[in-house]
Amino acid sequence: MEEKKTINKSIWGKWWTSFRKWFYPAWLVYETTIRFYEYSLSTYQYFLLQEQYFGSEISQLIAILASSLTFAICFFFLTVPASFALFKYFNTKKLAPNLLIEQKVKTYF
């Protein structure tokens, strides 16, 4: 039981331990920002196609507002909390009362 309490070394080396707490949240922000930009672009194009119902100027305004809101809502309600959770997970030494699961996961990251 005592030998299981030791923390395993990362397969990527010592430098990875301090680097990963910034890498994973930054990577998550990058990937989700690209996805949410694509969602916003699709929203923008959808409302531009509704020109026959709203008119040219109004559909342009609605398209800009809707796509901006889509990006902002997705980014602030999904990306920011998830990145913060990842940062806290890799920043703390002891999160779970059972360290075995945490050590197994952190070893590969």
Side-chain angles (χ1 to χ4, degrees), residues 30-44:
Y30 169 73
E31 286 292 327
T32 55
T33 301
I34 290 173
R35 298 294 175 240
F36 297 150
Y37 174 74
E38 291 173 359
Y39 297 159
S40 299
L41 192 59
S42 297
T43 304
Y44 178 79

Side-chain angles (χ1 to χ4, degrees), residues 19 29 48 57-58 62 70 76 103 105:
F19 180 69
V29 167
L48 280 184
E57 293 82 20
I58 301 295
I62 291 173
T70 300
F76 287 112
Q103 287 173 3
V105 171

Side-chain angles (χ1 to χ4, degrees), residues 22-32:
W22 296 104
F23 173 74
Y24 287 114
W27 175 72
L28 179 69
V29 167
Y30 169 73
E31 286 292 327
T32 55

Side-chain angles (χ1 to χ4, degrees), residues 51 54-62:
E51 184 178 329
F54 300 119
S56 179
E57 293 82 20
I58 301 295
S59 65
Q60 181 77 20
L61 179 66
I62 291 173

Side-chain angles (χ1 to χ4, degrees), residues 2 12-13 24 27 36-38 41 48-49 53-55 60-61 69-71 85 89-90 94 97 99 101 107 109:
E2 290 298 321
W12 303 106
Y24 287 114
W27 175 72
F36 297 150
Y37 174 74
E38 291 173 359
L41 192 59
L48 280 184
L49 293 175
Y53 299 114
F54 300 119
Q60 181 77 20
L61 179 66
L69 280 173
T70 300
F71 182 81
Y89 178 74
F90 286 111
K94 188 169 132 181
L99 292 176
I101 297 170
T107 299
F109 290 124

Side-chain angles (χ1 to χ4, degrees), residues 7 15 66 73:
I7 297 175
W15 63 272
I73 289 170

